[in-house]
Amino acid sequence: MELLSALSLGELALSFSRVPLFPVFDLSYFIVSILYLKYEPGAVELSRRHPTASWLCAMLHCFGSYILADLLLGEPLIDYFSNNSSVLLASAVWYLIFFCPMDLFYKCVCFLPVKLIFVAMKEVVRVRKIAVGIHHAHHHYHHGWFVMIATGWVKGSGVALMSNFEQLLRGVWKPETNEILHMSFPTKASLYGAVLFTLQQTRWLPVSKASLIFIFTMFMVSCKVFLTATHSHSSPFDVLEGYICPVLFGTALGGDHHHDNHGGAHGGSHGGSGPSSPHSAMATKSKEELSEGSRKKKTKKAD
């Protein structure tokens, strides 16, 4: 009975791995990617003033992972744009989301039950892209584990890793929002998935590629749908990393960020003396007063 269930699971995984992505799954991927672009501050105004720049940003959101993977493997960066069907489909989605009368298309795809379906389908595409990226890199570098991991990682989260460049197209420069400094759940999951698929590709993980695609897709879909439904920006890996990072690196993940935002409380808990907290608070206050004074001076000069 267990053997039959295992065989049926293997057949299900094999059938699932052969499901074509174009056009339904790719359409969902484009819709969710361009939705995230519209959520960015100033994206709607940019589409009205500079539609060409807005279209380029949308193409980066849709095809940034392919561009970055081609850059790593030394292939033509514009190669994927020869796929006319995908580019036209993504362009149509961009136009409907930004320019549809009364925002009807945007309101439909933003309706939470509908959006959750698109989010789930996008994760199917993400996992398939990671697996294809690993296989493609293995074809060029049979023993290049790090090349395979890097290629699979950017295939799964290339859009986020290129976020600073995409911001430049929108006239924004926020280096502190670097995705490597503040990894989101999809970026972390893509990295861990790239490691798993690399182990499978090099025969160190005794599981078929179809089964790994199916299992990892179910994990990504369930996590991403839950996070989207609850409007949460946390990561399922936070608890595990909270235990592992102090052992491996001597500090909890995100400790620097916590220290920057809560310097007084952090210093008081580790320094062991009471005056350290008021001192850091006064220092923070003096910095805020100085920055406020400088802003006033700049305003007067501008006036």
Side-chain angles (χ1 to χ4, degrees):
M1 212 44 201
E2 293 179 358
L3 180 60
L4 290 176
S5 62
L7 288 175
S8 61
L9 178 62
E11 292 176 359
L12 175 63
L14 185 60
S15 301
F16 179 78
S17 65
R18 292 176 176 174
V19 172
L21 298 180
F22 187 86
V24 178
F25 287 91
D26 282 343
L27 176 63
S28 302
Y29 185 89
F30 298 153
I31 289 174
V32 177
S33 298
I34 299 176
L35 271 181
Y36 290 154
L37 171 62
K38 190 167 184 177
Y39 293 157
E40 293 291 335
V44 176
E45 292 78 5
L46 178 71
S47 65
R48 301 298 188 272
R49 297 195 308 268
H50 307 288
T52 303
S54 177
W55 179 82
L56 286 174
C57 291
M59 295 303 102
L60 279 183
H61 273 258
C62 294
F63 308 118
S65 57
Y66 298 99
I67 295 172
L68 201 52
D70 289 340
L71 178 64
L72 290 179
L73 297 177
E75 298 180 352
L77 302 184
I78 205 170
D79 182 61
Y80 192 80
F81 285 89
S82 62
N83 191 339
N84 298 326
S85 301
S86 295
V87 175
L88 289 174
L89 184 61
S91 301
V93 171
W94 164 77
Y95 186 85
L96 289 173
I97 287 180
F98 280 95
F99 302 104
C100 183
M102 298 189 303
D103 271 346
L104 289 178
F105 185 80
Y106 172 75
K107 292 174 182 177
C108 290
V109 297
C110 273
F111 183 53
L112 187 58
V114 177
K115 182 180 177 181
L116 292 180
I117 296 174
F118 289 144
V119 166
M121 297 175 75
K122 178 182 179 180
E123 296 310 309
V124 175
V125 179
R126 187 195 306 275
V127 176
R128 196 78 66 86
K129 285 166 62 179
I130 295 173
V132 171
I134 298 294
H135 179 77
H136 188 55
H138 181 261
H139 179 72
H140 291 277
Y141 304 92
H142 294 287
H143 304 289
W145 283 37
F146 291 103
V147 176
M148 287 185 273
I149 292 173
T151 306
W153 186 28
V154 301
K155 276 278 192 175
S157 59
V159 179
L161 295 173
M162 294 180 67
S163 59
N164 289 111
F165 180 71
E166 185 268 334
Q167 288 171 359
L168 285 177
L169 290 178
R170 291 190 283 113
V172 180
W173 174 241
K174 295 181 180 179
E176 69 277 4
T177 61
N178 192 322
E179 184 69 16
I180 297 179
L181 296 178
H182 308 286
M183 288 191 189
S184 59
F185 164 70
T187 303
K188 289 182 180 180
S190 297
L191 178 59
Y192 299 149
V195 174
L196 291 176
F197 278 101
T198 298
L199 292 175
Q200 190 280 327
Q201 185 70 46
T202 54
R203 307 300 174 87
W204 283 87
L205 189 63
V207 63
S208 67
K209 180 180 291 187
S211 299
L212 183 58
I213 289 175
F214 180 78
I215 295 171
F216 196 69
T217 300
M218 293 301 105
F219 167 75
M220 291 294 294
V221 167
S222 58
C223 289
K224 191 61 178 174
V225 167
F226 175 78
L227 294 175
T228 304
T230 56
H231 303 285
S232 174
H233 297 284
S234 61
S235 170
F237 303 119
D238 289 344
V239 177
L240 183 62
E241 291 171 349
Y243 287 103
I244 294 177
C245 289
V247 177
L248 296 180
F249 308 111
T251 181
L253 190 68
D256 294 339
H257 181 69
H258 177 77
H259 178 76
D260 291 338
N261 291 334
H262 305 284
H266 204 61
S269 62
H270 290 278
S273 59
S276 61
S277 296
H279 178 74
S280 60
M282 291 175 63
T284 305
K285 185 177 180 181
S286 62
K287 289 180 181 178
E288 292 176 353
E289 290 174 351
L290 288 173
S291 61
E292 182 66 25
S294 62
R295 283 198 296 270
K296 289 181 179 180
K297 290 180 180 178
K298 288 180 180 179
T299 306
K300 289 180 180 179
K301 290 180 179 180
D303 293 340

